[in-house]
Amino acid sequence: AASVMAVASSFRVLMAGRILNGLGIGSAFQVAPLYIAEVAPKNQRGRLVSAFDFFINVGILAGYIVGWALAGLPIGSAWRTMLGVGVVPPLLILLML
């Protein structure tokens, strides 16, 4: 979905990418803590679910920092680059599988 947003040729395509991205992230945020809680040993369950939430917030902070670092790019390419950088984490995860 991030690649769709980065190469969007119109506002409609950009919004379709945003909706697709939102559905994917929203469902992952609902399913992942539930899966962690079901699979984790009883004595580590809270720690692992809390770690999930902590790293989500670290990721949000990293997104703000990357956006701030890329804010100096030319107006026409800044937003595409910021949205395109969102392709990197999923690709890294895919390569590690």
Side-chain angles (χ1 to χ4, degrees):
S3 57
V4 171
M5 293 185 292
V7 298
S9 58
S10 68
F11 182 72
R12 288 180 191 255
V13 174
L14 178 65
M15 288 300 108
R18 298 288 290 185
I19 290 169
L20 184 64
N21 201 16
L23 290 173
I25 290 173
S27 61
F29 282 0
Q30 290 293 318
V31 172
L34 178 66
Y35 179 76
I36 291 169
E38 289 290 330
V39 174
K42 190 176 185 180
N43 60 343
Q44 294 181 349
R45 199 170 291 152
R47 186 178 315 141
L48 291 173
V49 174
S50 295
F52 175 80
D53 288 337
F54 174 75
F55 285 112
I56 292 300
N57 287 306
V58 168
I60 292 169
L61 176 63
Y64 279 118
I65 291 170
V66 169
W68 173 74
L70 297 175
L73 293 175
I75 299 293
S77 64
W79 68 272
R80 288 187 188 273
T81 305
M82 288 180 193
L83 292 175
V85 168
V87 174
V88 175
L91 282 179
L92 290 175
I93 292 170
L94 189 63
L95 290 173
M96 286 190 277
L97 289 177

